[in-house]
Amino acid sequence: MASPHRRYSTLILDLGDVLFSWSSKTDTPIPPRQLKAILSSLTWFEYERGRISQAECYERVSAEFNVDAAVVAEAFQQARDSLRPNEEFLGLIRELRRQCQGQLTVVALSNISLPDYEYIMSLNSDWTSVFDRVFPSALLGERKPHLGAFRKVVSEMNLEPHTTVFVDDKLDNVVSARSLGMHGIVFDSQETVFRTLRNVFGDPAQRGRDYLRRHAGRLETSTDAGVVFEENFTQLIIYELTNDKSLITTSNCPRTWNFFRGKPLFSETFPDDVDTTSVALTVLRPDRALVNSILDEMLNYVDADGIMQTYFDHSRPRMDPFVCVNVLSLFYENGRGQDLPKTLEWVYEVLLHRAYIGGSRYYMSADCFLFFMSRLIQRIDDLAVLNRLRPLFIERMHERIGVEGSSMDYAFRILAGSTVGVQSPRDLERLLAAQCEDGGWDLCWFYQYGSTGVKAGNRGLSTALAIKAIEAALARPPSPAPSAASSSKLEVPKSPTRPVSPRQLRDFLMPWRRYRGDGLAVA
């Protein structure tokens, strides 16, 4: 896949079996299988290249397949008459053009004879209005998958292959396009292709924000059993990521915070916890005196090893390194990191020995731990502590790049890396590709309940994380890799000059911008 730092500006589409449907069933002695065999014959290829006439083609086919030439002509006339434009696809192209605000060039490249091309041009349809240019093989003198056909279109249109998307129902054709640097998409499922094109050409962050606004106040969490419930923790993280209180609903907690809003999920009562409290106080930033009094209270729940426990309840002794990181973030945010030296040391050991791999009692993702660590590192003002943690954190971030995971894992990873200059273009590609048709990202499991193993997640959180990660990754161009030159010059694209095609449908072509990405960067 091409780097997501590059903006695609051109869409090349096949016509038959992509933008047009047709039937190989005819009221002639030629069965569908034989009709398709004719279409794959060398004679037909010559016909589509414009090297022989229709009459000569039908005569050769008649001899090669032992079928009367008149029957061949009738069969292909019926097949031609069955051609129907794909109105849904045409609608999508118009949608993409509007979204790209004049920055998208749309081209057709089709293996088609001149008589068939003239026929579809005469159809009572406005399908040609979505294209800037149409290239039939009969006029190019070349057909797909031969590289010459693609190169002629690239030259004629003055295209940059790396900013071009190509869609075709034949894998051979897509492979040729990819070999030239284009982003090739096989038209095997309309739903999948539509989703891919929206993700490629749309503004993923804006589509994600639209999803959040449509569901504002209803971004609730659900379990792996499909139970929807109300809680505070995820709502607070969504608020930190979006800075938009209209999206969330939280309890009114005057002091310490409870994970649940309203009735707990598995019991009648549930104690307040230091994890939700730490995130709430870090994100909402209430009165400093109140915060300090709560910090004093939290210190009462440090165990004999100096490790902060999870609940404001001595009858529930639980420790979790992910929770401890969030607690440390709160303490350092308020200038009191020195109050928890043993907790900090334990978190360092967890990072050093990769004890976060595989998750914890409450959290499931190694990348979530690194995301929480990035929040902590940004709040540490003690240079000795920072100089001890940061290099190890950067090393651990590099280890995670490219590891398979959920879209939430990729977002956690990208956000954590962005705080220390570690970039992961491949993970960003995966995150962009995972965007759903409705603009949001899929439900991913964020945490689990230690006693039951029930998993829980929130599409609002998945989406908010993805938006923030994309914005962080694309906010600046990638830095050079360590082996690259220490300085780079901004590449300014030249204004394209394009010769007129013999079948140009308009007198103008859409301009575009070009963005380049140079790969991984480290601090």
Side-chain angles (χ1 to χ4, degrees):
M1 295 176 65
S3 167
H5 295 283
R6 181 187 301 117
R7 179 177 177 177
Y8 294 104
S9 56
T10 304
L11 174 61
I12 301 179
L13 295 169
D14 183 28
L15 292 180
D17 292 317
V18 174
L19 205 66
F20 285 88
S21 62
W22 65 284
S23 176
S24 58
K25 294 181 180 179
T26 65
D27 296 326
T28 72
I30 301 179
R33 183 186 295 271
Q34 188 176 35
L35 194 72
K36 291 182 178 180
I38 294 171
L39 291 173
S40 298
S41 67
L42 292 177
T43 295
W44 199 267
F45 291 172
E46 290 293 283
Y47 180 41
E48 287 181 334
R49 288 189 177 97
R51 296 176 182 175
I52 60 176
S53 67
Q54 178 175 278
E56 185 177 354
C57 173
Y58 290 174
E59 287 296 334
R60 287 191 189 180
V61 166
S62 172
E64 292 170 16
F65 290 87
N66 195 27
V67 181
D68 188 86
V71 174
V72 173
E74 178 58 27
F76 279 101
Q77 183 57 53
Q78 290 184 26
R80 186 182 293 145
D81 291 340
S82 72
L83 282 165
R84 296 291 183 273
N86 186 335
E87 296 296 342
E88 288 185 76
F89 208 151
L90 292 171
L92 174 64
I93 298 170
R94 295 186 183 97
E95 173 191 322
L96 295 177
R97 276 192 174 280
R98 288 192 298 270
Q99 290 178 359
C100 294
Q101 299 178 339
Q103 301 290 307
L104 177 62
T105 298
V106 183
V107 176
L109 173 58
S110 179
N111 290 339
I112 188 171
S113 68
L114 190 56
D116 288 335
Y117 174 61
E118 291 173 343
Y119 175 81
I120 63 170
M121 290 292 287
S122 68
L123 289 176
N124 185 22
S125 168
D126 65 345
W127 70 270
T128 58
S129 66
V130 304
F131 289 101
D132 296 289
R133 301 279 287 275
V134 176
F135 289 90
S137 59
L139 291 177
L140 280 178
E142 276 290 1
R143 66 185 302 281
K144 302 170 293 185
H146 290 280
L147 299 180
F150 294 94
R151 286 174 173 149
K152 285 187 178 182
V153 173
V154 168
S155 175
E156 180 83 5
M157 295 290 291
N158 194 24
L159 298 180
E160 169 55 67
H162 292 282
T163 64
T164 300
V165 176
F166 175 77
V167 181
D168 197 293
D169 64 303
K170 304 272 191 313
L171 179 58
D172 286 350
N173 300 339
V174 173
V175 169
S176 291
R178 288 171 178 167
S179 74
L180 295 176
M182 298 182 188
H183 179 84
I185 300 172
V186 178
F187 190 84
D188 50 5
S189 160
Q190 179 157 298
E191 180 181 355
T192 301
V193 171
F194 279 24
R195 172 176 170 170
T196 301
L197 289 176
R198 286 193 172 99
N199 290 349
V200 166
F201 289 107
D203 180 339
Q206 185 58 52
R207 291 177 62 212
R209 284 189 290 269
D210 290 343
Y211 172 86
L212 293 178
R213 292 190 187 106
R214 288 196 306 272
H215 296 84
R218 297 177 288 110
L219 298 168
E220 302 296 359
T221 298
S222 61
T223 71
D224 52 355
V227 177
V228 178
F229 65 98
E230 299 176 343
E231 49 103 330
N232 286 308
F233 189 85
T234 301
Q235 301 291 306
L236 292 164
I237 297 294
I238 291 173
Y239 175 53
E240 181 178 53
L241 294 165
T242 63
N243 196 33
D244 187 348
K245 278 190 176 180
S246 72
L247 298 177
I248 66 168
T249 305
T250 59
S251 302
N252 182 18
C253 301
R255 190 170 173 81
T256 59
W257 282 68
N258 197 286
F259 177 81
F260 293 102
R261 300 190 338 257
K263 186 180 183 301
L265 192 59
F266 299 111
S267 61
E268 290 300 319
T269 61
F270 200 79
D272 291 355
D273 67 272
V274 299
D275 199 20
T276 308
T277 298
S278 294
V279 171
L281 300 182
T282 303
V283 172
L284 300 177
R285 298 185 178 181
D287 177 74
R288 190 66 174 266
L290 172 63
V291 173
N292 276 313
S293 71
I294 296 173
L295 297 184
D296 291 338
E297 181 179 352
M298 291 171 71
L299 291 173
N300 294 324
Y301 296 90
V302 174
D303 71 4
D305 293 320
I307 310 301
M308 179 64 69
Q309 300 299 286
T310 300
Y311 296 104
F312 289 96
D313 184 346
H314 290 295
S315 69
R316 284 179 178 253
R318 309 281 191 274
M319 55 189 279
D320 187 299
F322 291 60
V323 173
C324 287
V325 174
N326 288 333
V327 171
L328 286 167
S329 290
L330 174 62
F331 273 75
Y332 273 101
E333 174 90 4
N334 290 276
R336 295 182 56 176
Q338 71 280 358
D339 290 354
L340 292 170
K342 296 296 183 60
T343 299
L344 177 64
E345 183 63 24
W346 187 50
V347 165
Y348 175 81
E349 294 292 331
V350 168
L351 185 65
L352 176 65
H353 299 293
R354 304 175 183 86
Y356 53 87
I357 301 294
S360 67
R361 178 182 180 88
Y362 299 110
Y363 291 94
M364 304 178 63
S365 166
D367 297 293
C368 176
F369 180 81
L370 294 174
F371 170 69
F372 287 163
M373 282 296 303
S374 72
R375 295 175 74 251
L376 170 59
I377 286 173
Q378 291 179 85
R379 290 170 168 83
I380 294 175
D381 56 3
D382 185 323
L383 288 181
V385 174
L386 191 61
N387 289 336
R388 188 181 184 215
L389 277 178
R390 194 173 186 273
L392 179 60
F393 174 74
I394 292 173
E395 183 180 326
R396 295 294 176 262
M397 282 305 312
H398 279 296
E399 292 172 355
R400 295 298 298 171
I401 291 175
V403 176
E404 288 287 343
S406 69
S407 60
M408 182 177 288
D409 291 329
Y410 302 141
F412 279 140
R413 192 179 305 163
I414 293 164
L415 282 171
S418 71
T419 65
V420 290
V422 176
Q423 299 182 45
S424 180
R426 174 57 176 159
D427 292 324
L428 180 56
E429 289 174 0
R430 291 166 168 168
L431 180 62
L432 290 168
Q435 190 168 21
C436 299
E437 190 84 6
D438 60 9
W441 271 260
D442 276 333
L443 181 68
C444 301
W445 306 129
F446 180 32
Y447 49 78
Q448 61 187 351
Y449 295 96
S451 60
T452 65
V454 170
K455 302 177 180 65
N458 187 306
R459 282 198 72 194
L461 177 62
S462 300
T463 302
L465 282 166
I467 295 168
K468 193 73 172 179
I470 291 166
E471 291 176 338
L474 301 182
R476 63 188 188 282
S479 303
S483 61
S486 59
S487 62
S488 59
K489 185 170 65 175
L490 178 66
E491 182 176 339
V492 180
K494 298 178 181 180
S495 300
T497 57
R498 299 165 171 162
V500 177
S501 163
R503 287 285 171 170
Q504 183 173 343
L505 297 176
R506 295 191 184 137
D507 295 326
F508 63 93
L509 294 167
M510 303 296 179
W512 68 82
R513 298 175 183 173
R514 180 185 177 195
Y515 295 85
R516 286 190 60 185
D518 298 322
L520 183 66
V522 294

